[in-house]
Amino acid sequence: MNGKVILMTGATSGIGQVAAESLASMGAQILQIARDPARGQAALTRLQTQQPKAAHAIYYADLSLMREVKRVAAEIALAHPHIDVLMNNAGAMFGTRSVTDEGLERTFALNHMSYFVLTACLRDLLIGSAPARIINTASDAHQMGRIDFADLQSETAYRGNFFETLRYGGPAFKVYAISKLCNVLFTRELARQLAGTGVTANCLHPGFVATRFGAQTGGLISFGIRIAKRFALSPEEGAKTLIYLASSPGVAAVTGKYFHNCQPLQPSKAAQDDSAARQLWETSAKLAGTES
Ligand SMILES: NC(=O)c1ccc[n+]([C@@H]2O[C@H](COP(=O)([O-])OP(=O)(O)OC[C@H]3O[C@@H](n4cnc5c(N)ncnc54)[C@H](OP(=O)(O)O)[C@@H]3O)[C@@H](O)[C@H]2O)c1
């Protein structure tokens, strides 16, 4: 990875942090987008210790706000004309419904729209950097997701009902599952659109990993996840597929796939629906104002 430039989100914690540090130790230059200056600075210091020769850099943005995603993408594009790998990895699950001042439900905004908008803003730069790779962190939770295009902002989904609570363990997980289905569908359509450009797009499930994920969700869900984490993978184990997709020559030409344990895996039936993938793309582009 000597001399490779990797742009990552969600690298201040969990699997992203481990992946960033491992890839830096292989010689890569890591550019991060973080939201919190103290956590961002700590992450940068760790990387500089790991690989002092590379000019690692950090940029700040709240990725649940699309104007922030666009601003930071423009700053990065100006400073770094070449990017080998874009890793969309930041994500969270929110216990109660909240809407950003841009009118987007927060889970959908952070987990899907930030991936969509950051990629759209850097698309030409990545094509100009080809061969390049885009990696989206999805989840096995996508298996439970069903997209209702009439309720993309989850007004109904967050209300839930008794049976849904039994099925999903609560509306927060249902909304999270939908956002992760969006990651797989987005990757599918992105790979289709980028065919022949030398830029690949793949997504992954890292496994159930003991990270800070779920800590901010609140209530019983945070409690349940805290207990379940005793049986979860370590962040080092969870980061393996991310690192593999960013660095392995074996996947240089592989695109449009969903990976787990460094192997391609069939995603759910809903995640293989090409017309849903196209509809999600068109709707996201309208919401983001990135239609061409
Ligand atoms: N852990 C699991 O079992 C699991 C399973 C399947 C999929 N995943 C997925 O893996 C990805 C990484 O999660 P993780 O498990 O490593 O969790 P984590 O330790 O909570 O890390 C989440 C990362 O996202 C960043 N982030 C959250 N909200 C943000 C915002 N508004 N703007 C900018 N950055 C933001 C966090 O920044 P701060 O450091 O500032 O909080 C942190 O770097 C997520 O997409 C998650 O859905 C996790």
Side-chain angles (χ1 to χ4, degrees), residues 11-23:
T12 49
S13 175
I15 59 170
Q17 179 186 325
V18 173
E21 290 170 17
S22 302
L23 291 162

Side-chain angles (χ1 to χ4, degrees), residues 12-292:
T12 49
S13 175
I15 59 170
Q17 179 186 325
V18 173
E21 290 170 17
S22 302
L23 291 162
S25 71
M26 294 179 201
Q29 177 189 359
I30 309 290
L31 315 175
Q32 294 191 45
I33 305 175
R35 59 173 166 176
D36 178 77
R39 295 183 58 73
Q41 189 48 52
L44 184 59
T45 306
R46 284 191 299 266
L47 287 176
Q48 284 163 340
T49 313
Q50 200 72 242
Q51 175 56 276
K53 284 188 202 137
H56 305 300
I58 191 132
Y59 294 84
Y60 291 100
D62 176 349
L63 293 170
S64 58
L65 295 171
M66 296 315 113
R67 62 174 178 277
E68 292 259 297
V69 178
K70 290 177 187 171
R71 175 198 43 83
V72 83
E75 273 174 37
I76 291 167
L78 207 62
H80 305 275
H82 184 98
I83 293 176
D84 298 284
V85 182
L86 166 63
M87 211 181 267
N88 290 301
N89 172 68
M93 177 159 68
F94 299 98
T96 51
R97 182 175 187 269
S98 72
V99 175
T100 69
D101 66 13
E102 297 174 330
L104 297 178
E105 186 281 317
R106 201 166 290 278
T107 322
F108 179 73
L110 175 65
N111 293 7
H112 165 63
M113 287 298 291
S114 79
Y115 290 23
F116 182 86
V117 175
L118 188 60
T119 306
C121 292
L122 297 174
R123 181 184 170 123
D124 291 346
L125 192 155
L126 286 158
I127 292 173
S129 306
R133 305 178 184 197
I134 300 169
I135 302 158
N136 299 318
T137 302
S139 168
D140 181 52
H142 86 271
Q143 304 268 2
M144 305 277 277
R146 297 287 174 273
I147 294 190
D148 175 358
F149 282 99
D151 188 37
L152 267 190
Q153 305 311 325
S154 293
E155 285 177 58
T156 312
Y158 256 112
R159 269 183 238 133
N161 61 39
F162 177 71
F163 296 106
E164 288 196 333
T165 302
L166 276 185
R167 177 158 188 243
Y168 293 101
F173 188 76
K174 178 180 177 180
V175 174
Y176 175 73
I178 296 168
S179 74
K180 291 289 143 182
L181 172 58
C182 289
N183 294 157
V184 188
L185 288 171
F186 166 54
T187 305
R188 194 174 177 87
E189 176 62 14
L190 182 62
R192 194 188 68 77
Q193 293 200 16
L194 289 173
T197 63
V199 183
T200 61
N202 291 293
C203 62
L204 72 138
H205 169 52
F208 178 51
V209 194
T211 61
R212 284 166 59 240
F213 182 81
Q216 63 165 50
T217 307
L220 273 178
I221 300 180
S222 285
F223 178 72
I225 291 179
R226 204 164 62 237
I227 303 290
K229 272 181 193 168
R230 293 175 188 195
F231 309 99
L233 299 175
S234 67
E236 287 71 22
E237 283 292 318
K240 278 186 178 165
T241 307
L242 260 182
I243 297 165
Y244 172 77
L245 288 175
S247 60
S248 171
V251 283
V254 177
T255 192
K257 300 284 186 220
Y258 169 73
F259 281 78
H260 176 49
N261 281 338
C262 304
Q263 296 290 334
L265 206 70
Q266 193 97 297
S268 70
K269 213 167 158 224
Q272 298 177 55
D273 180 341
D274 286 329
S275 73
R278 260 193 294 277
Q279 190 175 353
L280 177 66
W281 184 285
E282 281 158 21
T283 310
S284 304
K286 271 192 202 120
L287 287 169
T290 57
E291 299 125 289
S292 49

